[in-house]
């Protein structure tokens, strides 16, 4: 994935369009695409800045953060519970629809793993 343009160029592009220059002239002047100029100038007009948005996953644990105790309690009560069953429990008891991967990431972060013995049985 490529890196975003610097704040400086984004800000200068936004200021140039707001000052009255055409989008195409600004794109040629700064050697960026017309689409980028349109996006950045729109951000500049709306927010007064063309700064990049934060990239990556949101901090704070996501939508399942309040349900970690519920999920770990279900696994402790029934160690052979499946991810499908956990997703169904979340939907039935809390009205929350999430994917299997989301539940797996929460449990993995909480220290739960899926280990098998030599005979293929889960420990």
């Amino acid at each position: 994935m490529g890196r975003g343009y610097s704040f400086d160029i984004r800000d200068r592009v936004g200021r140039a369009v707001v000052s009255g220059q055409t989008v195409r002239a600004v794109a040629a002047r700064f050697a960026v695409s017309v689409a980028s100029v349109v996006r950045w100038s729109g951000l500049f007009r709306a927010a007064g800045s063309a700064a990049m948005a934060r990239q990556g996953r949101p901090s704070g644990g996501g939508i399942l953060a309040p349900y970690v105790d519920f999920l770990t309690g279900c696994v402790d009560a029934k160690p052979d519970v499946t991810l499908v069953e956990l997703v169904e429990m979340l939907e039935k008891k809390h009205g929350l629809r999430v994917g299997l991967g989301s539940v797996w990431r929460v449990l993995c972060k909480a220290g739960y793993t899926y280990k098998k013995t030599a005979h293929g049985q889960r420990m």
Side-chain angles (χ1 to χ4, degrees):
M1 186 169 159
R3 290 185 42 186
Y5 285 99
S6 69
F7 171 74
D8 179 52
I9 194 164
R10 295 166 68 105
D11 191 56
R12 288 190 298 157
V13 164
R15 288 183 192 283
V17 173
V18 170
S19 72
Q21 295 181 32
T22 66
V23 171
R24 291 190 186 278
V26 172
R29 178 177 161 201
F30 290 101
V32 295
S33 71
V34 173
S36 293
V37 173
V38 170
R39 241 186 347 264
W40 299 340
S41 61
L43 280 172
F44 192 85
R45 281 190 198 107
S49 170
M52 292 186 297
R54 185 184 177 283
Q55 294 183 356
R57 290 183 185 219
S59 58
I63 195 168
L64 287 177
Y67 304 100
V68 172
D69 292 335
F70 171 76
L71 290 169
T72 55
C74 290
V75 173
D76 290 339
K78 184 181 174 193
D80 61 342
V81 67
T82 65
L83 290 174
V84 174
E85 291 171 336
L86 289 171
V87 168
E88 290 171 355
M89 285 183 214
L90 277 170
E91 186 172 1
K92 189 168 99 176
K93 293 189 180 186
H94 298 286
L96 187 66
R97 295 189 67 171
V98 294
L100 298 175
S102 299
V103 174
W104 173 249
R105 280 188 294 276
V106 167
L107 291 175
C108 192
K109 191 174 183 179
Y112 291 89
T113 59
Y114 182 78
K115 301 283 185 183
K116 291 183 179 179
T117 62
H119 301 292
Q121 300 298 317
R122 183 170 184 241
M123 292 177 35

